[in-house]
């Protein structure tokens, strides 16, 4: 079945540091890949997505590239801010083959990011 | 659009009581999902609907949990009877098509004492 593995957290950085959160996946077919962010006390928000191999999703200074050869979708940001402190979830969506997995997102376990001033 | 709307935001109830959580998806979204989030287990998919029909309820923990979607604009998740281990944040999410990603509601924080 489909699965998503994220880098273990928590991750603690100083402001303006470079961020990488690793994400690898296992899926049949050609999934779409997503990063979601959850701020304290809120629901998950879509941060960025990529729908096919070599696509790069980007938003708010965050980027991730869909690497089919390494089955990865690592999240990066060149200079983090205190306001980026949140939990980040990598996810994939099964886009083919029908069945009960169709349309369903499979989430990683989440990575807690804390950014200090 | 107001987004996915969940109610109540917080619910405190006594063990054994019935609890009903409500969700209004975004208009035009054909998929609706119910998730539970806890520190121990993370995000768990409980059930999801496509065009108001339950597609996969394999994540519903036991018979005490039930979910309905009587029309395209409303869904409920019911727990009867509730137990302290049901304490969690319950999220509803909707999507307009497979592979499009979800829009989540703000969640209902349930505490069973």
């Amino acid at each position: 079945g489909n699965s998503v593995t994220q880098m273990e957290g928590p991750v603690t950085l100083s402001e303006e540091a470079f961020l990488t959160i690793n994400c690898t996946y296992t899926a049949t077919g050609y999934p779409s890949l997503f990063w979601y962010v959850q701020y304290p006390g809120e629901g998950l928000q879509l941060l960025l997505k990529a729908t096919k191999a070599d696509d790069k999703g980007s938003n708010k200074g965050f980027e991730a590239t869909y690497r089919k050869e390494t089955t990865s979708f690592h999240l990066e940001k060149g200079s983090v801010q205190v306001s980026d402190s949140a939990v980040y979830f990598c996810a994939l969506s099964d886009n083919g083959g029908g069945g009960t997995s169709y349309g369903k997102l499979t989430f990683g376990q989440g990575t807690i990011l804390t950014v200090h001033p | 659009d107001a987004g996915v709307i969940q109610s109540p935001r917080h619910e405190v109830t006594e063990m054994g009581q019935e609890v009903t959580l409500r969700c209004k998806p975004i208009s035009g979204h054909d998929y609706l999902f119910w998730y539970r989030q806890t520190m121990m287990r993370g995000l768990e998919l409980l059930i999801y609907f496509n065009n108001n029909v339950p597609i996969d309820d394999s994540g519903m923990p036991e018979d005490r949990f039930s979910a309905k979607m009587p029309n395209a604009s409303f869904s409920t998740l019911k727990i009867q009877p509730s137990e302290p281990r049901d304490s969690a944040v319950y999220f509803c999410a909707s999507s307009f098509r497979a592979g499009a990603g979800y829009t989540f509601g703000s969640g209902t924080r349930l505490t069973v004492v």
Side-chain angles (χ1 to χ4, degrees), chain A:
Chain A
N2 297 335
S3 67
V4 176
T5 303
Q6 283 182 236
M7 127 187 219
E8 289 285 330
V11 174
T12 302
L13 296 172
S14 297
E15 204 164 28
E16 299 183 3
F18 184 85
L19 168 71
T20 300
I21 301 178
N22 290 339
C23 171
T24 57
Y25 67 90
T26 301
T28 55
Y30 303 95
S32 295
L33 302 173
F34 305 83
W35 276 100
Y36 281 80
V37 58
Q38 184 179 28
Y39 298 104
E42 298 183 12
L44 281 71
Q45 302 173 25
L46 178 63
L47 180 60
L48 54 85
K49 68 177 183 180
T51 58
K52 60 183 187 296
D54 299 324
D55 268 3
K56 178 185 284 187
S58 62
N59 186 27
K60 300 181 181 179
F62 291 89
E63 292 183 341
T65 301
Y66 190 150
R67 302 286 187 200
K68 190 167 176 61
E69 65 277 12
T70 54
T71 62
S72 65
F73 193 55
H74 305 321
L75 183 68
E76 297 182 336
K77 187 175 185 182
S79 176
V80 293
Q81 305 300 311
V82 172
S83 57
D84 294 326
S85 298
V87 183
Y88 291 81
F89 293 89
C90 185
L92 70 82
S93 175
D94 188 334
N95 294 330
T100 59
S101 66
Y102 189 63
K104 187 170 70 174
L105 283 180
T106 300
F107 284 92
Q109 71 272 32
T111 302
I112 299 171
L113 170 66
T114 303
V115 181
H116 293 297

Side-chain angles (χ1 to χ4, degrees), chain B residues 35-50:
Chain B
Y35 279 85
R36 178 171 68 178
Q37 186 178 38
T38 61
M39 289 294 291
M40 292 295 292
R41 294 183 173 157
L43 270 172
E44 302 174 275
L45 177 64
L46 300 177
I47 185 171
Y48 83 96
F49 297 83
N50 180 211

Side-chain angles (χ1 to χ4, degrees), chain B residues 10-14 19 83-84 86-88 109-113:
Chain B
H10 302 274
E11 176 80 40
V12 180
T13 190
E14 292 185 347
V19 176
E83 296 183 2
D86 302 330
S87 298
R109 180 173 295 276
L110 173 65
T111 304
V112 183
V113 298

Side-chain angles (χ1 to χ4, degrees), chain B residues 26-96:
Chain B
I26 292 174
S27 177
H29 281 196
D30 292 339
Y31 290 83
L32 184 139
F33 306 83
W34 282 101
Y35 279 85
R36 178 171 68 178
Q37 186 178 38
T38 61
M39 289 294 291
M40 292 295 292
R41 294 183 173 157
L43 270 172
E44 302 174 275
L45 177 64
L46 300 177
I47 185 171
Y48 83 96
F49 297 83
N50 180 211
N51 291 321
N52 312 338
V53 176
I55 302 301
D56 183 358
D57 65 354
S58 60
M60 296 286 261
E62 45 197 280
D63 292 345
R64 298 184 297 105
F65 285 70
S66 63
K68 294 181 179 179
M69 192 164 186
N71 57 63
S73 59
F74 184 65
S75 177
T76 59
L77 178 68
K78 185 177 294 186
I79 308 172
Q80 167 62 17
S82 58
E83 296 183 2
R85 60 192 168 121
D86 302 330
S87 298
V89 181
Y90 291 82
F91 287 105
C92 176
S94 69
S95 175
F96 72 94

